Amino acid sequence: MNQRARIAMSDDDVTAFLESSRKLQLATINPDGMPHLVTMFYGLDEGRITFWTYAKSQKARNLARDPRVSCLVETGDDYGELRGVLVYGKAELVDDRDRVMEVGLLVARRMTPGVPDELLLPYVEQTGRKRVAYVVEPTKVVSWDHRRLT
């Protein structure tokens, strides 16, 4: 078995890893073709990555032009501890207000674990007025768990 196959996570491991993490690195494509990379809190909706952002943000403008994204979730400090999931996909715009609020609540729960929804809702409703949301439809998933090397 090659090393790449040895370190790849199973589908269940990928799901568990994404469920246990809070932030990702989101890459979109700027007008000049350069990557635009930002850290985002995210939610999960039926296993798919969701996020929201201000409608006039650079990432929203980039996604309106080209919906391709890369989403990296990783952890570990030493080589033997490195774990990660890289999701390539298409970010589908969610602009229905109720659905944007649902995504906002998914994200807010990750930002503030353990805080009851009734305390999160005022924040979600306030900031959600100027936001749009996205659901990432994956086209390819790459994963690694270097702990499997030992």
Side-chain angles (χ1 to χ4, degrees), residues 105 112-121:
L105 190 55
T112 55
V115 174
D117 285 357
E118 60 268 15
L119 297 178
L120 296 176
L121 284 172

Side-chain angles (χ1 to χ4, degrees), residues 22 52 101-128:
R22 298 173 58 205
W52 69 343
M101 294 301 137
E102 289 173 17
V103 170
L105 190 55
L106 290 172
V107 172
R109 287 176 182 145
R110 276 198 202 256
M111 292 172 65
T112 55
V115 174
D117 285 357
E118 60 268 15
L119 297 178
L120 296 176
L121 284 172
Y123 162 78
V124 170
E125 291 169 355
Q126 175 67 29
T127 60

Side-chain angles (χ1 to χ4, degrees), residues 12 34 51 55 73 120 129 143 150:
D12 288 343
M34 291 293 289
F51 61 92
V73 180
L120 296 176
R129 292 179 187 154
S143 65
T150 56

